[in-house]
Amino acid sequence: MKTKGMPRSPRTSSAAADRTTFGPGDYGRVLRTDGTERWWIRSSNGAWTALSHQRVIENGDGTITLLYVSEESER
């Protein structure tokens, strides 16, 4: 999903972002009646875990990528 707006200026601190990609069948999304969504991923032991953040990018190939950004880059 793209958003329109002014480009952000570069951050002075080094933004450390880690990425993890999940394929179809290893993730799910629940749309609630209030319009919010909740993402779930399947862990290595097969259990489903709700994500604690909403930095999810939907890719064109059916996969999703989770972004983990360090607290330093949030400033």
Side-chain angles (χ1 to χ4, degrees):
M1 169 172 39
K2 286 188 171 181
T3 58
K4 295 182 180 180
M6 298 296 294
R8 289 184 152 178
S9 60
R11 298 180 185 207
T12 55
S13 63
S14 60
D18 292 324
R19 292 177 169 86
T20 304
T21 301
F22 291 88
D26 288 332
Y27 70 88
R29 177 176 61 180
V30 175
L31 298 174
R32 298 179 179 166
T33 56
D34 64 0
T36 59
E37 61 185 10
R38 183 71 173 195
W39 288 91
W40 295 74
I41 57 167
R42 187 187 315 259
S43 64
S44 59
N45 67 3
W48 287 92
T49 304
L51 298 180
S52 61
H53 59 77
Q54 293 299 315
R55 292 184 184 194
V56 177
I57 298 173
E58 296 178 76
N59 304 310
D61 62 356
T63 62
I64 63 168
T65 300
L66 309 181
L67 298 178
Y68 299 95
V69 181
S70 69
E71 289 183 20
E72 288 180 8
S73 63
E74 293 284 325
R75 293 180 192 168

